[in-house]
Amino acid sequence: MEMSADYTSFVAVGDSFTEGMSDLLPDGSYRGWADLLAARLAARGPGFHYANLAVRGKLIRQIVDEQVPLAAGMRADVVTLVGGLNDTLRPTCDMGRVRGLLEEAVETLAPSCGRLVLMRSPGRTGPVLTRFRPRMEELFAHVDELAARHGALVVDLYGSGSLGDPRLWDADRLHLTAEGHRRVAEAVWQTLGLGAEDDWRSPLPPAAPERWTARRAADLRFARRHLGPWIGRRLTGRSSGDGLVPKRPELLPYEPPSA
C-alpha cells in the first residue's frame, strides 16, 4: 500500500553519498541515488520539483548551516537527510557534538516537510573502515532514536549485507558504483511506501576467486590513488568539496541530466 499518492517535490540534503559519487555520467557530472529517485517520482505525474543541495566532503556542521535552512524553506513533500558520516571518519571526532547537530537538523526539517527520510548509510566490508565502525554505529543508533521521536522514516542500508559487497563500491572504496546507487534509490522508493520494482537486498552472484597477487596490486593502487590523498585531506582540514556548489540548488521542475 502506498503511503502517499502525491509526492510532488523532493529535496536531498547531505554529502558525497547524496551528491551521487561515484555514479559518473558521460559529461563528467555525478548522478546517484537521489537523481534516480527523483526521476522515478517525476514519472508518476506532471509538476514534480526537485532540489539536491548535497556537496561532497561536507561535515554535519556545514550541512546544518548551509543546507538545512534552505531545505526547510522549500517545504517539500519529501526531504532526505544523510549526514555525519564524514565526521566519524575524521582522526578525531566529538560524537556528542555530531549527535547534537544531527538532532538540530532533524528538529528543523521534520516539521517543515511532508515526509523526512533518514538513513543508516551502507558500510563496505574491509579493514580500512573497521576502526570507525563503533562511531558509525553510534551515529546510526541516534538516527533511529531521532526518527522514532520525530516520525521520520529510516532506510537501513547498513543492515543490508548485499550493499557491503566490494563489487558495489568504486575504486576509492568510499563511494557506491552505479549499481549500488540504483539499489539505494530502490530502497528509498520502497521506504516511501511505493511499489517494489525489485529486491534491492538481493546478493550479487558469487564472485570468481581472485589471486593474492591481484588483491595486493589493487590494494597498492587504492593506497596510492585514494587512501593517501584522503588521509592528507583529513590531516590538513581540507575537503574534496571545498569551493563546490550544489548541483541542483533550487526547487525547480525536474529535468533529467543531459545524455
Side-chain angles (χ1 to χ4, degrees), residues 143-202:
V143 165
D144 289 342
E145 293 170 8
L146 291 173
R149 196 185 316 158
H150 295 276
L153 301 175
V154 177
V155 186
D156 186 12
L157 305 173
Y158 186 74
S160 167
S162 61
L163 281 176
D165 192 311
R167 290 172 290 174
L168 292 177
W169 294 76
D170 194 53
D172 65 4
R173 304 184 183 181
L174 285 174
H175 300 107
L176 292 170
T177 63
E179 172 60 15
H181 280 285
R182 188 199 65 78
R183 288 176 179 242
V184 173
E186 178 67 24
V188 182
W189 175 268
Q190 292 181 24
T191 301
L192 288 171
L194 301 170
E197 184 174 284
D198 58 35
D199 182 6
W200 63 272
R201 299 179 182 85
S202 62

Side-chain angles (χ1 to χ4, degrees), residues 196-251:
E197 184 174 284
D198 58 35
D199 182 6
W200 63 272
R201 299 179 182 85
S202 62
L204 296 177
E210 189 176 23
R211 293 190 176 192
W212 182 90
T213 52
R215 292 198 304 271
R216 295 293 75 76
D219 289 342
L220 288 172
R221 287 195 300 273
F222 162 69
R224 183 174 64 253
R225 298 177 186 175
H226 303 290
L227 182 59
W230 179 82
I231 291 173
R233 290 194 299 272
R234 299 292 79 76
L235 294 176
T236 58
R238 292 177 293 119
S239 168
S240 57
D242 288 346
L244 299 182
V245 297
K247 62 182 179 180
R248 292 177 181 265
E250 299 180 77
L251 189 61

Side-chain angles (χ1 to χ4, degrees), residues 21-257:
M21 295 175 73
S22 292
D23 184 8
L24 195 64
L25 292 170
D27 66 357
S29 64
Y30 291 108
R31 181 177 54 180
W33 66 266
D35 285 11
L36 292 168
L37 178 64
R40 291 178 66 178
L41 292 171
R44 301 176 72 232
F48 182 79
H49 287 59
Y50 171 48
N52 190 322
L53 308 179
V55 176
R56 69 197 72 170
K58 292 298 182 181
L59 302 174
I60 188 64
R61 173 82 269 174
Q62 295 168 305
I63 291 172
V64 168
D65 289 347
E66 300 167 13
Q67 299 178 32
V68 167
L70 291 175
M74 292 175 181
R75 314 293 296 185
D77 292 333
V78 177
V79 173
T80 58
L81 167 64
V82 188
L85 200 61
N86 282 333
D87 297 79
T88 70
L89 300 179
R90 295 274 167 160
T92 59
C93 174
D94 182 345
M95 286 302 298
R97 180 172 179 271
V98 171
R99 291 194 308 271
L101 288 166
L102 186 60
E103 184 166 357
E104 180 181 339
V106 170
E107 288 177 346
T108 301
L109 291 172
S112 73
C113 66
R115 181 67 66 180
L116 178 62
V117 180
L118 308 177
M119 294 191 201
R120 293 162 55 93
S121 304
R124 184 188 188 277
T125 57
V128 174
L129 293 181
T130 298
R131 61 169 294 196
F132 300 110
R133 288 194 185 279
R135 292 180 185 172
M136 294 166 60
E137 292 176 357
E138 180 180 347
L139 177 68
F140 299 155
H142 192 53
V143 165
D144 289 342
E145 293 170 8
L146 291 173
R149 196 185 316 158
H150 295 276
L153 301 175
V154 177
V155 186
D156 186 12
L157 305 173
Y158 186 74
S160 167
S162 61
L163 281 176
D165 192 311
R167 290 172 290 174
L168 292 177
W169 294 76
D170 194 53
D172 65 4
R173 304 184 183 181
L174 285 174
H175 300 107
L176 292 170
T177 63
E179 172 60 15
H181 280 285
R182 188 199 65 78
R183 288 176 179 242
V184 173
E186 178 67 24
V188 182
W189 175 268
Q190 292 181 24
T191 301
L192 288 171
L194 301 170
E197 184 174 284
D198 58 35
D199 182 6
W200 63 272
R201 299 179 182 85
S202 62
L204 296 177
E210 189 176 23
R211 293 190 176 192
W212 182 90
T213 52
R215 292 198 304 271
R216 295 293 75 76
D219 289 342
L220 288 172
R221 287 195 300 273
F222 162 69
R224 183 174 64 253
R225 298 177 186 175
H226 303 290
L227 182 59
W230 179 82
I231 291 173
R233 290 194 299 272
R234 299 292 79 76
L235 294 176
T236 58
R238 292 177 293 119
S239 168
S240 57
D242 288 346
L244 299 182
V245 297
K247 62 182 179 180
R248 292 177 181 265
E250 299 180 77
L251 189 61
L252 297 174
Y254 173 79
E255 295 181 3

